[in-house]
Amino acid sequence: MEAALTLKAVMIVMVVAHGGAVPITAPRSEAEVSKAQDYLSRFFSDVGVSAPKTVWRSSLDSYEDTLKKMQEFFGLEATGQLDSNSLEVMNRPRCGFTDVLRYSHFAGGPKWDKTVITYRVTEYTPDLTQREVDATLAKALKLYSDVTPLDFKQIDSGTADIMIKFSSRDHGDFSPFDGPQGVLAHAFSPGQGLGGDTHFDEDEVWTLSAQGSNLFLVAAHEFGHAMGLSHSKLQTALMFPTYQYVNTDGYTLPEDDVQGVQALYGVRSTTDQVTAEPKPDPLPPLRPVPKPHDEPEPTSAPVPDRCDAGLTFDAVTTIQGNLYFFKDGYCWRKTSSWDGISMKPIQSVWAGISKVDAAYEYKRDNTVFFFKGDQYWGFTGNTALPGYPKHIRDLGFPSTIDGVDAAVHVSFISRTFFFAGNRFWSYNERRGKMDRGYPKFIHRDLPGIGFRVDAAFENRGYLYFSFGPSQTEYHYVRRRDIRSFLNNEWMDC
């Protein structure tokens, strides 16, 4: 069996009567009735969510009886009429497993027949770092290992008991996701094959906060299903059907859920050792697989680890006040706001750009330029400018130069510096041509940064020059280096 979490917001329309608020019971639209029928068919019938969606085929009386059953479950007035309160509940964030069960466990009481449960993440989300995902999933599983004899062990290859992935739409289990703001995740009860597997909808925005979809809370709920728990009628329980954000600091498994999982596996001895911990660095490379239980084959370069002490950058630039770090087809976006650092494939942000050698922002035109080999592209936001790509010779480079290593627009002198080998050029954006007297040797005219540059950018009045895993903060007016540090110190590690 499978469970899923849905997310959608609605407005509750209320009227005042007899001194209190009551739901409006005006006739509902055809769309609202159809949606209610679909909801009741999916969550309050014997069809089950792992079966194909069926058309409601019961009589009006059966529909009303089922609606009453749903209203009773959620503590609403059981009128059998589709009022605004019932519609509001139907649209709350929730898990998709049916609510009408005889027990607090799945039918037949499936459970793991072992005490060490392995799990493996085959596809990560770019919304969070792999390190954050690993730590969050381990934290969610620890809720269960703290109160039962179960231990959880993450593995890097082969088939685990619980296979985990972030995917969108149809992802191979006959339960396709439905895009943003719909089903958040689903999990299967313990067993062979898909048993225990847990899938998260990549079309959602995954966070560790109250914004978007909180990965810890969603994962903890879905792992409850992967342990054999169904839903609880107690609203304070983790396994209550509807999703609601709560503060996750110091979160422990609510008592109702503790009783449910201990009924399956027993109580943990105080001498047992919990093994569900975040994986140590460096993180394993991501190797996507087409199906949860296929042996993975490497199909792409490893996803770079931003906390690697040997981290090098292909390019760095500011874009609309945020810093973007480029590496092996991916980019990290660093902001000063709550969401910190996020990672995405470059091509998912700027279509047609798969990897870059250099990048810079020209704020006056609100344009970002990307360089790869002997060509470059211009973008405004995420929109490619017409007429690109162009050859770098259009900028004034000689035919002997077949690419640039780094680029940075120095706003306080209104020049763009291009680096290639041990030399650099100065480009006048307004005149559209190279300045006379260039190229110059890097170590002579920019003393203190060495002989080569991999990436360069301006931030808060200083220039930053990166070569290999190290970086130099530079005061251009004084032509002196301020300090040196590792690239990964930008990465909040």
Side-chain angles (χ1 to χ4, degrees):
M1 288 188 179
E2 170 198 10
L5 203 60
T6 62
L7 175 62
K8 198 164 284 187
V10 296
M11 181 178 294
I12 307 172
V13 182
M14 307 291 285
V15 296
V16 177
H18 304 293
V22 297
I24 291 177
T25 55
R28 295 294 162 187
S29 68
E30 183 179 343
E32 288 175 324
V33 172
S34 177
K35 185 172 185 177
Q37 291 175 339
D38 182 73
Y39 183 96
L40 296 174
S41 178
R42 185 174 186 184
F43 301 122
F44 283 82
S45 72
D46 294 330
V47 174
V49 295
S50 57
K53 185 180 291 185
T54 60
V55 178
W56 187 271
R57 27 176 218 276
S58 301
S59 66
L60 181 61
D61 288 341
S62 178
Y63 166 74
E64 290 181 352
D65 290 343
T66 307
L67 180 55
K68 285 181 181 179
K69 189 183 299 183
M70 172 264 178
Q71 291 168 331
E72 289 173 354
F73 184 90
F74 287 100
L76 305 175
E77 185 179 359
T79 63
Q81 300 298 312
L82 185 59
D83 55 36
S84 57
N85 281 349
S86 299
L87 282 170
E88 187 273 332
V89 169
M90 290 179 181
N91 285 277
R92 285 179 188 171
R94 63 155 294 142
C95 176
F97 184 73
T98 176
D99 294 327
V100 183
L101 291 174
R102 183 178 178 184
Y103 305 105
S104 61
H105 306 127
F106 286 100
K111 66 177 184 177
W112 297 105
D113 59 359
K114 59 181 75 174
T115 57
V116 177
I117 311 299
T118 59
Y119 68 101
R120 178 183 170 203
V121 185
T122 60
E123 297 178 37
Y124 286 82
T125 174
D127 298 339
L128 300 166
T129 67
Q130 290 191 18
R131 190 181 186 204
E132 288 171 329
V133 171
D134 284 341
T136 301
L137 297 181
K139 180 181 175 183
L141 288 167
K142 190 173 183 294
L143 293 174
Y144 299 96
S145 61
D146 279 346
V147 298
T148 69
L150 298 177
D151 286 333
F152 300 95
K153 179 181 179 182
Q154 185 172 4
I155 62 175
D156 301 338
S157 61
T159 301
D161 298 311
I162 301 175
M163 299 290 279
I164 303 167
K165 66 179 179 179
F166 293 79
S167 297
S168 59
R169 303 293 178 175
D170 189 351
H171 53 282
D173 63 2
F174 302 102
S175 295
F177 288 127
D178 54 4
Q181 305 299 299
V183 174
L184 295 183
H186 54 222
F188 297 83
S189 59
Q192 298 297 314
L194 286 174
D197 289 359
T198 304
H199 304 154
F200 300 90
D201 187 356
E202 185 47 61
D203 284 334
E204 309 299 336
V205 178
W206 295 102
T207 73
L208 303 180
S209 69
Q211 308 300 317
S213 302
N214 184 278
L215 179 60
F216 171 72
L217 292 174
V218 176
H221 179 102
E222 298 304 333
F223 287 152
H225 292 307
M227 296 301 104
L229 295 179
S230 61
H231 284 154
S232 169
K233 292 185 179 181
L234 191 63
Q235 293 193 27
T236 57
L238 175 63
M239 300 308 296
F240 188 69
T242 58
Y243 167 88
Q244 182 176 355
Y245 177 79
V246 296
N247 191 334
T248 60
D249 292 338
Y251 184 89
T252 57
L253 200 63
E255 184 59 31
D256 185 71
D257 306 292
V258 170
Q259 293 179 10
V261 73
Q262 287 182 343
L264 288 172
Y265 299 102
V267 180
R268 187 175 190 87
S269 167
T270 56
T271 60
D272 290 336
Q273 179 66 38
V274 178
T275 61
E277 296 293 340
K279 290 176 64 60
D281 290 332
L283 294 170
L286 172 63
R287 295 184 175 91
V289 294
K291 295 182 180 179
H293 296 292
D294 286 346
E295 188 65 28
E297 295 293 337
T299 57
S300 60
V303 174
D305 175 12
R306 65 184 173 95
C307 291
D308 182 4
L311 176 67
T312 61
F313 295 133
D314 295 333
V316 184
T317 186
T318 56
I319 302 177
Q320 297 182 351
N322 299 314
L323 279 171
Y324 286 77
F325 301 85
F326 298 85
K327 174 70 175 176
D328 294 343
Y330 293 85
C331 65
W332 292 284
R333 175 176 174 263
K334 181 180 176 68
T335 72
S336 57
S337 57
W338 64 269
D339 53 352
I341 296 177
S342 58
M343 183 179 75
K344 288 183 179 294
I346 299 171
Q347 193 154 252
S348 71
V349 183
W350 296 281
I353 307 297
S354 59
K355 193 173 180 181
V356 301
D357 296 329
Y360 75 93
E361 179 187 38
Y362 184 46
K363 295 181 181 178
R364 186 167 181 259
D365 290 345
N366 192 29
T367 304
V368 180
F369 295 97
F370 298 102
F371 293 77
K372 178 61 180 174
D374 59 6
Q375 294 183 312
Y376 71 105
W377 293 255
F379 280 78
T380 296
N382 305 113
T383 304
L385 296 178
Y388 289 87
K390 297 181 179 180
H391 201 282
I392 61 173
R393 282 203 295 270
D394 292 351
L395 296 170
F397 285 103
S399 59
T400 55
I401 300 299
D402 56 7
V404 297
D405 299 327
V408 57
H409 183 70
V410 186
S411 61
F412 41 85
I413 62 171
S414 192
R415 293 293 188 273
T416 300
F417 291 163
F418 293 103
F419 298 82
N422 61 356
R423 297 179 295 171
F424 75 104
W425 284 255
S426 176
Y427 182 76
N428 187 320
E429 295 280 354
R430 295 187 180 184
R431 297 176 60 194
K433 61 191 303 183
M434 294 291 186
D435 289 326
R436 292 183 178 181
Y438 288 86
K440 295 182 178 181
F441 287 103
I442 296 171
H443 74 282
R444 289 180 182 174
D445 283 77
L446 297 173
I449 70 170
F451 294 84
R452 298 286 296 269
V453 175
D454 288 336
F457 62 101
E458 179 189 330
N459 188 54
R460 298 181 179 179
Y462 291 95
L463 297 180
Y464 293 85
F465 298 103
S466 172
F467 182 68
S470 63
Q471 190 167 138
T472 301
E473 184 180 72
Y474 198 77
H475 195 297
Y476 178 75
V477 175
R478 296 180 181 176
R479 295 296 201 281
R480 58 174 294 185
D481 56 306
I482 306 300
R483 63 189 178 109
S484 297
F485 51 93
L486 291 177
N487 287 333
N488 69 0
E489 292 187 38
W490 287 98
M491 296 289 121
D492 296 346
C493 297

